[in-house]
């Protein structure tokens, strides 16, 4: 059984580096990926709100 998601090649505009040096994925990347990971991403285009959905 394959537990790994398909890797999406990164392109210009898919992410930027925060001032702390972390990679922050953009809405463009999330839409290309095609699903919500429910991690509360800063640029989530799927409307997921971690505070509202925290069980």
């Amino acid at each position: 059984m394959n537990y790994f998601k398909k890797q999406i090649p990164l392109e210009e505009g898919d992410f930027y580096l925060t001032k702390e040096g972390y990679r922050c994925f953009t809405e463009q990347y999330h839409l290309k990926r095609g699903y919500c990971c429910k991690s509360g991403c800063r640029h989530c285009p799927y409307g997921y709100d971690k505070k509202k959905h925290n069980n």
Side-chain angles (χ1 to χ4, degrees):
M1 198 175 219
N2 187 359
Y3 293 101
F4 298 103
K5 302 274 184 190
K6 182 179 135 187
Q7 264 197 334
I8 299 168
L10 293 177
E11 299 173 352
E12 187 174 334
D14 282 348
F15 71 94
Y16 60 89
L17 295 178
T18 66
K19 64 181 179 179
E20 298 84 14
Y22 295 106
R23 195 180 294 178
C24 184
F25 291 106
T26 62
E27 180 178 4
Q28 170 183 305
Y29 175 80
H30 292 294
L31 290 171
K32 192 178 358 176
R33 184 175 63 187
Y35 65 92
C36 179
C37 64
K38 299 182 179 175
S39 294
C41 300
R42 185 178 294 175
H43 301 290
C44 181
Y46 301 106
Y48 183 78
D49 184 345
K50 201 171 186 175
K51 292 176 187 169
K52 289 181 184 177
H53 297 92
N54 193 5
N55 292 331

